[in-house]
């Protein structure tokens, strides 16, 4: 059974395993920085299978006018079980009053399908435009 918690009480090893499973190595090159970023997030919700961290969503923002979903990540072996959707919905339920909910991610069919199924619209298909400096 998957248990969901709003917490930052987890080990660096658990976080590294989760991010490396998704090939998010840009994050894991500097684990102290990633751990600080997580601890400074507006909200962090995690998914656990026993003692194993299997998913995480975190947000940054001002909690009033904008909520930026920074990371949503689920171990590959646990995908397609509704964990990502539960994490996302749990985060959004904390901030129902925030009108602007945004994220920046890749455009794979799997990613597009996930966010569109969860009520997000891609800026390249609407009247908005997104800019980033990476």
């Amino acid at each position: 059974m998957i248990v969901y918690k709003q917490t930052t009480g987890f080990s660096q090893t658990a976080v590294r395993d989760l991010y490396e499973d998704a090939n998010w190595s840009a994050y894991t090159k500097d684990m102290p920085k990633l751990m600080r970023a997580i601890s400074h997030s507006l909200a962090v919700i995690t998914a656990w299978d026993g003692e194993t961290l299997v998913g995480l969503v975190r947000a940054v923002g001002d909690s009033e006018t904008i909520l930026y979903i920074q990371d949503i990540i689920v171990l590959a072996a646990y995908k397609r079980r509704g964990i990502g959707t539960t994490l996302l919905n749990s985060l959004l339920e904390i901030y129902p009053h925030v009108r602007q909910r945004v994220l920046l991610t890749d455009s794979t069919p799997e990613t597009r399908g996930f966010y569109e199924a969860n009520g997000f619209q891609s800026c390249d298909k609407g009247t908005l435009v997104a800019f980033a400096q990476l």
Side-chain angles (χ1 to χ4, degrees):
M1 182 171 94
I2 304 300
V3 175
Y4 298 89
K5 302 175 187 177
Q6 187 173 354
T7 182
T8 57
F10 37 77
S11 73
Q12 181 172 300
T13 301
V15 172
R16 179 184 292 118
D17 292 347
L18 182 63
Y19 280 69
E20 286 185 354
D21 180 73
N23 295 314
W24 289 10
S25 60
Y27 286 98
T28 59
K29 287 178 183 174
D30 188 345
M31 285 303 299
K33 180 183 248 182
L34 175 57
M35 297 305 288
R36 285 191 308 274
I38 290 171
S39 70
H40 292 287
S41 296
L42 188 61
V44 179
I45 302 173
T46 55
W48 298 85
D49 185 0
E51 297 296 314
T52 304
L53 177 63
V54 300
L56 177 145
V57 64
R58 71 185 186 100
V60 296
D62 61 20
S63 77
E64 293 296 329
T65 63
I66 189 165
L67 184 71
Y68 188 94
I69 301 163
Q70 176 59 34
D71 298 334
I72 182 166
I73 186 169
V74 175
L75 286 175
Y78 286 81
K79 286 188 175 183
R80 309 301 249 174
R81 298 187 192 182
I83 295 169
T85 296
T86 300
L87 286 168
L88 181 61
N89 288 335
S90 297
L91 178 67
L92 297 178
E93 287 172 8
I94 297 171
Y95 303 100
H97 58 283
V98 176
R99 179 185 63 83
Q100 191 173 352
R101 302 164 175 187
V102 298
L103 60 102
L104 181 65
T105 189
D106 59 38
S107 64
T108 65
E110 178 187 22
T111 301
R112 281 184 177 272
F114 173 78
Y115 287 109
E116 288 171 356
N118 282 286
F120 284 78
Q121 297 175 6
S122 174
C123 290
D124 67 345
K125 294 183 178 179
T127 59
L128 298 175
V129 64
F131 297 95
Q133 184 181 45
L134 304 174

